[in-house]
Amino acid sequence: MTCRYCTGHHPIRLDAYPAGNPRASLVAALRATEAREEAAAPVHVHYDAIHDAFAVIRTDAPESE
């Protein structure tokens, strides 16, 4: 399933937290909140099934050609 926030944008992975840690989703959410305050671009959390981790993603606008 495609993420509606990443579609049409340039997603940048800021951090990742192993899903084996019971607090990983909370830590990722906290990091996303901090990143929202640091950058003007939208930030959200994805579950990365390949790496079994919660990834904090910033979506930058695509560069215009």
Side-chain angles (χ1 to χ4, degrees):
M1 184 171 173
T2 305
C3 173
R4 67 181 179 157
Y5 300 110
C6 290
T7 302
H9 293 85
H10 180 69
I12 298 171
R13 185 175 173 157
L14 301 176
D15 288 305
Y17 303 93
N21 179 347
R23 298 187 65 226
S25 65
L26 295 173
V27 175
L30 177 62
R31 176 64 184 109
T33 300
E34 292 170 351
R36 284 184 202 105
E37 295 171 1
E38 297 167 2
V43 178
H44 59 285
V45 176
H46 276 227
Y47 172 69
D48 180 353
I50 294 171
H51 297 104
D52 192 29
F54 292 96
V56 180
I57 308 292
R58 182 179 73 219
T59 50
D60 291 343
E63 295 179 17
S64 54
E65 297 178 17

